[in-house]
Amino acid sequence: MSSALAAMADSLDTELRIRPTDPRLFAIADRVVAGERLSPADALALFESDDLIGIGALADAVNRQKNGDRVFVCANQHLNPTNVCILRATCTFCSFARTPREDGAYTMTLEEAFHEASLASDTPVREFHIVGGLHPKLRVSYYEDLIRGLKERHPGVEIKALTAVEIAHLARIEKSSVEDVLIRLREAGMQTMPGGGAEVFAKGVRASIAQRKLAAEEWIDVHRKAHGLGIRTNCTLLYGHVESLQDRVDHLGMLRELQDETGGFLTYIPLAYHPDNNELGEALGRTGTATTGFDDLKNLAIGRLYLDNIPHIKTHWIMNTAMVSQIALHFGVDDLEGTVRRERIYHEAGAHTPEGMTFGEIVRLVKDAGKRPVERNVHYDEVRSW
Ligand code: V47
């Protein structure tokens, strides 16, 4: 072991407050303490273990070493310009999408989108998070105008916009390349991209829950291209439905591999499947029963341990609840989704959480967990802290 590694291992060891009690995790704990990369078999053992406290303690030690007691928070607003989606019939897990003439279908005019964005002017928003359906007719120019218009109306605001799936769809509509679409959006003011649309990469699962969605390799390739253009992105896994534990490990493996290659991912967000008002939830007989807090914490902690090259791990409190998210701050998480303001995707799917939180509530949540809230910009630079 190099002396640098030995020093790191020493400091980790002294900070490992609790050791796992599950014998299958003893060797894994040693590897974590030694700063060694975990193998796919290690990740599977972690997912199979019920030693949540042991797993959480390992993730907490790694997180404290990377981020100290900082928790990144952000005053943001989600904007979903349309729910019209050409994948309406085949993404069986989604409760948000509509066909153009279906009840509840909407597509915002630019003025409507600007109006919704202006509702946040009482608490200055630093970041707009823009995602929506794959509309058959909206062109890149709509999103360029939306982003430019938001920047004009909210000087200083930063833009995280469009999943890899939306980018690839726009490239198809425009008969241009993914790079061209990314460059046009970047010139309009898009700074980073959210991590949605990854779902589960495993072929069998993807075929059953998201049959016509961008294939795994294509999702990875859009992110590779974004990273190549200097656009940092996020990544996700949609868990808690029909995927196996091995599928989760393989999915994380693909994210880790791309990150080794590009270093472009900022944060990983495990997304907890919500089963209401969608075909998959009905088929599984799961209506009204989302994932459990135990599995939510495990997914977050294992994300921290296995994705050793991704700097941040985010809890989406809208899905995991504010209470589980607060506890997650001691299970490897250093990044808390922001104020959100108006949430549609998970509320259509049965989320019982509020649609938004005030910035003050978020700061209090972090402080009460004994952590230090740090307001970030889209690049995770510190803007202010408490
Ligand atoms: O890709 C859709 C998920 C994602 C359901 O990057 C569902 O900072 C659960 O990616 N149950 C979009 N999940 C949202 C997303 C996101 C959210 C917050 C922050 C960031 C970020 C990204 O929502 C989709 C899909 O995986 N989703 N339907 C459902 N029924």
Side-chain angles (χ1 to χ4, degrees):
M1 198 189 294
S2 74
S3 58
L5 198 62
M8 188 174 101
D10 272 356
S11 72
L12 235 189
D13 200 27
T14 53
E15 290 190 37
L16 199 56
R17 293 168 181 166
I18 300 169
R19 286 206 154 255
T21 51
D22 176 352
R24 281 188 73 191
L25 305 188
F26 292 169
I28 295 175
D30 290 343
R31 279 195 278 288
V32 169
V33 165
E36 285 170 20
R37 174 162 273 197
L38 298 185
S39 69
D42 293 337
L44 188 61
L46 288 164
F47 274 119
E48 284 172 350
S49 174
D50 289 329
D51 186 2
L52 178 64
I53 300 298
I55 296 168
L58 288 175
D60 183 51
V62 172
N63 180 41
R64 273 186 285 116
Q65 200 178 50
K66 288 187 172 168
N67 293 300
D69 60 359
R70 290 182 308 178
V71 173
F72 290 93
V73 295
C74 175
N76 73 354
Q77 182 176 356
H78 286 208
L79 265 183
N80 309 119
T82 181
N83 63 355
V84 172
C85 186
I86 58 168
L87 300 181
R88 162 75 178 92
T90 50
C91 282
T92 58
F93 63 87
C94 179
S95 317
F96 172 69
R98 299 284 187 283
T99 57
R101 279 183 237 298
E102 197 174 346
D103 259 9
Y106 73 85
T107 300
M108 293 180 190
T109 61
L110 289 175
E111 282 317 314
E112 285 167 341
F114 296 144
H115 175 69
E116 181 156 323
S118 73
L119 298 176
S121 49
D122 51 334
T123 43
V125 164
R126 180 167 299 282
E127 173 191 283
F128 282 112
H129 164 113
I130 305 170
V131 295
L134 306 187
H135 194 286
K137 297 217 174 91
L138 288 183
R139 309 285 300 251
V140 177
S141 57
Y142 171 89
Y143 294 99
E144 288 174 309
D145 293 345
L146 176 62
I147 292 169
R148 285 208 171 91
L150 287 171
K151 290 224 148 203
E152 267 164 36
R153 286 165 178 77
H154 304 267
V157 85
E158 300 177 300
I159 308 278
K160 169 170 54 132
L162 304 192
T163 64
V165 180
E166 291 166 277
I167 301 283
H169 170 70
L170 287 170
R172 257 193 316 270
I173 289 192
E174 298 285 345
K175 297 189 175 51
S176 73
S177 67
V178 161
E179 283 93 336
D180 282 346
V181 173
L182 288 170
I183 289 167
R184 282 178 65 181
L185 293 170
R186 184 177 64 182
E187 278 168 9
M190 174 189 87
Q191 282 149 299
T192 57
M193 276 168 55
E199 321 313 356
V200 179
F201 291 146
K203 277 203 173 62
V205 177
R206 211 167 178 83
S208 74
I209 69 161
Q211 199 191 4
R212 285 175 43 227
K213 195 165 246 182
L214 206 61
E217 297 71 23
E218 293 171 308
W219 186 97
I220 289 282
D221 200 48
V222 173
H223 283 262
R224 177 184 286 115
K225 286 180 170 133
H227 298 171
L229 291 166
I231 301 167
R232 306 288 300 268
T233 69
N234 297 342
C235 55
T236 57
L237 157 73
L238 180 69
Y239 68 91
H241 43 91
V242 296
E243 86 288 359
S244 67
L245 299 183
Q246 185 62 51
D247 292 333
R248 294 182 186 180
V249 173
D250 295 345
H251 185 99
L252 295 181
M254 284 177 75
L255 297 177
R256 189 167 79 171
E257 204 176 303
L258 181 65
Q259 184 72 346
D260 276 342
E261 183 187 324
T262 64
F265 286 132
L266 285 165
T267 193
Y268 163 68
I269 314 135
L271 297 172
Y273 169 61
H274 277 54
D276 287 3
N277 307 317
N278 58 65
E279 237 180 88
L280 181 62
E282 248 171 63
L284 296 174
R286 282 268 307 278
T287 310
T289 52
T291 56
T292 61
F294 198 89
D295 203 24
D296 295 340
L297 288 171
K298 225 201 243 192
N299 270 279
L300 288 158
I302 295 171
R304 170 61 76 195
L305 291 170
Y306 198 54
L307 300 175
D308 55 1
N309 50 4
I310 298 186
H312 306 289
I313 303 293
K314 184 194 278 193
T315 173
H316 194 12
W317 62 264
I318 293 265
M319 306 177 114
N320 294 335
T321 75
M323 284 185 268
V324 169
S325 291
Q326 188 186 36
I327 296 166
L329 304 181
H330 289 271
F331 282 72
V333 168
D334 71 307
D335 188 8
L336 191 60
E337 180 55 16
T339 43
V340 177
R341 190 90 194 178
R342 167 115 206 239
E343 204 291 317
R344 291 181 169 93
I345 299 177
Y346 313 107
H347 284 86
E348 296 262 359
H352 297 295
T353 46
E355 282 196 47
M357 268 203 272
T358 65
F359 200 62
E361 284 169 323
I362 288 188
V363 166
R364 179 173 159 240
L365 208 78
V366 175
K367 282 186 173 173
D368 272 12
K371 296 274 183 167
R372 186 165 63 91
V374 171
E375 187 177 359
R376 62 164 178 85
N377 63 14
V378 285
H379 298 293
Y380 287 77
D381 302 319
E382 186 165 330
V383 177
R384 65 179 160 144
S385 68
W386 285 259

